Amino acid sequence: MRILDLIAKKRDGGEHTDEELRFLVEDYTRGDIPDYQMSAWLMAVVWRGLTGSETFALTGAMAGSGDTLDLSSLPGTPVDKHSTGGVGDKTTLAVVPILASAGVPVAKMSGRGLGHTGGTLDKLESVPGVRVNLTGAEVLAQVHQIGACLCAQTTRLVPADRKLYALRDATATVESLPLIAASIMSKKLACGAPAIVLDVKFGGGAFMKTVEDARALADLMTRIGRAHGRRVAAVLSAMDAPLGRAVGNALEVQEVIGLLQDPAEADGRLSALVRHLSAVAFLLSGRVGTLEEGAALADAQVASGAATQKWREIVEAQGGQPDRTLPTAPAQVSVSAAADGYITGIDAEAIGLAAMRLGAGRATQEDKIDPAAGIIFHKSVGDAVGVGETLATLYADTESRTRAVTQAVVAAFQFAAQPSPRQSPIYDTLGLDS
Ligand code: URA
C-alpha cells in the first residue's frame, strides 16, 4: 500500500477500506509517513469528507495506536464523561464524585485549558498538593479503591491523535466533522469505559457555534461509540453565557465545593446541568431505570454529603489536602453597572478571553497559569441591575492586570429595559432511546 495512492483516492472522492485507514494511522504514528503527505490526505478529507464506516474505522485505528485502559475488572458499568469545552464549565468536578459516591466507577482523564476555554486539570491542580499525572496502573488502583480518579491522559494513550491534532492545527484542517469526532472518540474509546456521556456545547463560547453543528457532532460521536460497542448519550447544552458564577481555576473549584455542600445556593443553570449529566450517566450505567430516578439519585448523593465525601477522597488519594485554603488573588477589583436594566446576555467568549488575560488561562500551550485568577459574577442573565451595582469581581496578581480587562468584562454584559426569560442550559439529549 502506498500513501500516494491513498491521497489520490480521497482527493477523487473514493472510500477507504478499514485496512487502508489502519495503514495510514499506524504508519503515520510510527513516523513512516511524513507530515507533508499526511497534510495532503487531511486536506482531501476536509473537502471530500469520510463516510460513516470510514469514520468508525479511523477512530478505531487511532484508539488502538497506543495503550488502552482495561476497566473490565471494575465492578458495575464504569462511565466516562466528555465535554467539548466552554467557559466556566466545571461540571466534571461535580459529576465524577456524585457518580462514584453511588457506586458507579469513573476513570476520568481530562485536558488542560487553551485560549478562552478552561480545562479540568488546571482547575483540579489549584487544590494544594493534587497530582494529576497518574500511570495507567495508578488509575486502575485508585478507581478500585475509591471508585474514581480525575487525571491527565497519559502520553501513551492515543499517540496518533496527539500527532494528528498538532498537524491539523498547523494545516487548517481542524474544521472537519469526522476528524473532530474521531479525535474525541478515539480518546474515549482508549479510556475503556463501556458507557460514555458526552456534553456537546454550542454557542459563542463553544467550539460548535450553532446547535445544528453541535447536533451533527453529537450524532456522529454517538454512532462511533455504538459502532465500537459502547453505550453513548449526548447532551446538547448552551454555552452562550459562562456556566455558573465563577470563571478561573481555584474560583471554580470553590464553586463546585459549594454546589456539593449546598446545591440550593448554587447557580441554577450549573446545578441543573450537573444534575442532568449525572442522571444520564446513572441511566447509561444501568444504576437506575429512568432519567427521573437518576436525577433523584444525584440529589440524594449530594444531600447526604456522600458526594462531598467522595470529592475529599479523590483529592486525598491524589496527594491533595481538601481542607487547605485554595489560592487567593492579591488584587480584587469590582466592576459595576453604568445604567439600570436587565441582563439579557453575558458573552462567554469575551469573558473567557478576559479571564485568560487575568492569568486564569493560556494563550499558548507553554503559558503558565495563575490558579487564583479569574472572575466571579454577582449577577446572571435575567437579573435586574441598578446603576452602580456590582456586576462582577476580577481576581489577578496585580491591580493593573485587572484594570486591563475591566472594559472588556463590562462590555461582555448585554442589557435591555425588559427582562428576557431565563433559559435552561439543557437543549436536548440524544441516544437515550437505544
Ligand atoms: N477536541 C479534540 O479533542 N479534537 C478535535 O479535533 C477538536 C476538539
Side-chain angles (χ1 to χ4, degrees), residues 28 33 59 93 141 143 181 186 211 228 237 244 248 286 292 302 304 313 345 385 400 419:
Y28 180 63
I33 294 176
T59 312
L93 297 177
V143 181
S186 62
V211 70
H228 288 277
S237 72
E292 293 68 31
V302 173
S304 67
E313 286 172 25
V385 285
S400 66

Side-chain angles (χ1 to χ4, degrees), residues 109-124:
M109 294 197 173
S110 296
R112 298 193 179 278
L114 185 64
H116 71 275
T117 62
T120 298
L121 292 184
D122 299 322
K123 298 174 213 251
L124 195 62

Side-chain angles (χ1 to χ4, degrees), residues 82 84 161 165 168 174 179-181 183-184 187 207:
H82 178 79
T84 55
D161 181 62
Y165 201 9
R168 287 166 59 210
V174 169
L179 293 180
I180 295 169
S183 165
I184 295 173
K187 290 172 275 200
F207 191 58

